[in-house]
């Protein structure tokens, strides 16, 4: 079946901490856009220019470019994932080559919200998505919560 996602195969830690599906499948946006606060564009710094990427940020798949992306909307790098009242946090996942693969936004002390590529939005712990196709949660960023 097209767009079929094998959750346990791609994210083995979900056998311990499952994902909670929170939306229907859509190709309208991806995880990078979702963490950015956009649900109508697919964000990616592809060299062909097929996807949206801000002109002021180098169109390269580097952690520095992804940090600059979230800095555009007021995020700054922080030390960890701990929940802070009055703050919004995002996390950037990196693969073993230190390349960005995924982003999620914090919901509360225990859960994060992600878009799984062309699949569903999900709620999850950081652990649930680690050690799978996205690599691991490595860069945490925060900003003041918008009212």
């Amino acid at each position: 079946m097209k767009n079929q996602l094998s959750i346990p195969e791609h994210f083995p830690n979900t056998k311990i901490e499952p994902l909670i599906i929170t939306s229907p499948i859509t190709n309208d946006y991806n995880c990078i856009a979702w963490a950015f606060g956009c649900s109508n564009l697919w964000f990616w710094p592809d060299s062909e220019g097929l996807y949206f990427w801000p002109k002021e940020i180098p169109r390269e798949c580097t952690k520095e470019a992804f940090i600059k992306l979230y800095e555009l909307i007021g995020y700054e790098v922080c030390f960890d994932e701990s929940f802070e009242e009055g703050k919004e946090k995002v996390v950037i996942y990196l693969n073993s080559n230190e390349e960005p693969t995924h982003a999620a936004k914090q919901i509360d002390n225990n859960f994060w919200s992600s878009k799984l590529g062309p699949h569903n939005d999900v709620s999850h712990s950081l652990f649930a998505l680690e050690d799978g196709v996205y690599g691991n949660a490595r860069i945490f960023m925060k900003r003041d919560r918008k009212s």
Side-chain angles (χ1 to χ4, degrees), residues 11-144:
F11 308 104
N13 293 342
T14 59
K15 293 174 186 170
I16 300 165
E17 293 185 17
L19 305 177
I20 301 164
I21 295 173
T22 59
S23 78
I25 291 174
T26 179
N27 279 319
D28 292 346
Y29 58 96
N30 66 347
C31 60
I32 307 305
W34 180 245
F36 191 86
C38 178
S39 60
N40 65 345
L41 292 171
W42 194 281
F43 283 42
W44 199 255
D46 62 307
S47 59
E48 297 82 22
L50 299 175
Y51 303 107
F52 174 78
W53 196 251
K55 291 178 183 168
E56 57 270 21
I57 300 174
R59 189 173 273 277
E60 56 191 27
C61 193
T62 63
K63 55 188 173 183
E64 293 80 11
F66 279 67
I67 289 169
K68 287 180 188 291
L69 174 70
Y70 294 105
E71 286 176 342
L72 278 178
I73 55 171
Y75 283 94
E76 59 186 30
V77 174
C78 63
F79 295 107
D80 63 30
E81 75 278 8
S82 60
F83 183 77
E84 297 178 47
E85 284 296 329
K87 300 290 182 186
E88 295 177 309
K89 287 193 175 183
V90 296
V91 59
I92 301 169
Y93 284 72
L94 304 177
N95 63 21
S96 59
N97 295 324
E98 295 288 300
E99 298 165 331
T101 56
H102 183 69
K105 56 186 176 182
Q106 191 175 46
I107 298 172
D108 59 28
N109 199 35
N110 299 307
F111 289 99
W112 295 73
S113 178
S114 290
K115 173 76 164 62
L116 300 179
H119 303 284
N120 308 85
D121 294 348
V122 294
S123 292
H124 57 87
S125 69
L126 285 180
F127 174 75
L129 293 188
E130 290 201 314
D131 302 320
V133 295
Y134 292 149
N136 292 296
R138 290 290 180 252
I139 300 169
F140 298 95
M141 301 181 75
K142 69 179 178 180
R143 70 177 179 186
D144 290 336

